[in-house]
Amino acid sequence: DGATSFAAFGGYLLNESATLTDLDDAQRITAVMITPGAFAALGVTPVLGQLFTDADATGARGAFGSVLISHQLWRERYGSSRTIIGHQIEVNRRPARVVGVLPAGFAFPISAARVYFPLPVAVRGAGLDFRFINAIARLRDGAAPNHAEAELQTVIRRIPERFADITPE
């Protein structure tokens, strides 16, 4: 809120300790928790299925629900099967429904990322545990980076008053 220079804005957390447990052979993978807006900021379109919706990101942390998978994982583990969309896979022995396959070569935030879970971020009821989310944004066409930086500085200065109940002095 209050920053008009951006076309899209999102956040992500890297989690390097996930295991696919849905087939006979368990496989260690790198997982990313990411907000739906981050994909818009990155300009990503899935090759199959869809990206996360805001509804996907309303669940509690750890309640995976929906998942996006990398093109490499789709090819190597699931044989490039187009029936993967809507299919339930298992990560850390918890079910997750595949909603999309990301394009070949997509590697964010690191090349080892294989699965992406929606990252729920609620402004209401947020706590200080959200202060370590990495952010990414896309400037609106014609927006100047220095103007966007000035807007962000204004937003940052307003955090203590706007979120007095969760912001330490």
Side-chain angles (χ1 to χ4, degrees):
D1 291 348
T4 60
S5 296
F6 300 99
F9 193 88
Y12 65 94
L13 293 170
L14 183 62
N15 176 0
E16 296 187 49
S17 60
T19 304
L20 286 171
T21 52
D22 59 330
L23 299 178
D24 292 337
D25 61 325
Q27 179 182 353
R28 290 295 276 175
I29 56 165
T30 298
V32 177
M33 293 186 74
I34 191 164
T35 64
F39 289 107
L42 292 165
V44 176
T45 302
V47 294
L48 201 60
Q50 65 184 40
L51 296 174
F52 295 133
T53 65
D54 289 338
D56 290 317
T58 58
R61 264 185 169 184
F64 298 142
S66 300
V67 65
L68 293 163
I69 62 174
S70 72
H71 194 276
Q72 183 177 350
L73 183 68
W74 175 55
R75 189 180 69 247
E76 292 175 359
R77 187 165 177 96
Y78 302 107
S80 300
S81 172
R82 299 183 70 74
T83 62
I84 193 68
I85 302 303
H87 183 76
Q88 183 171 294
I89 65 173
E90 194 175 271
V91 182
N92 295 338
R93 302 200 183 283
R94 297 165 79 184
R97 184 179 51 87
V98 177
V99 296
V101 175
L102 296 167
F106 178 76
F108 181 83
I110 62 172
S111 62
R114 295 293 178 264
V115 298
Y116 297 81
F117 295 106
L119 174 61
V121 179
V123 174
R124 299 258 185 250
L128 292 177
D129 58 328
F130 284 106
R131 66 181 170 206
F132 296 109
I133 292 175
N134 300 293
I136 185 167
R138 177 178 292 273
L139 289 176
R140 288 193 189 284
D141 289 341
N146 60 339
H147 180 68
E149 176 68 25
E151 282 185 333
L152 286 177
Q153 292 304 319
T154 300
V155 169
I156 290 167
R157 282 192 301 276
R158 292 182 182 152
I159 288 173
E161 69 187 48
R162 185 158 181 218
F163 300 101
D165 57 330
I166 65 168
T167 307
E169 293 185 31

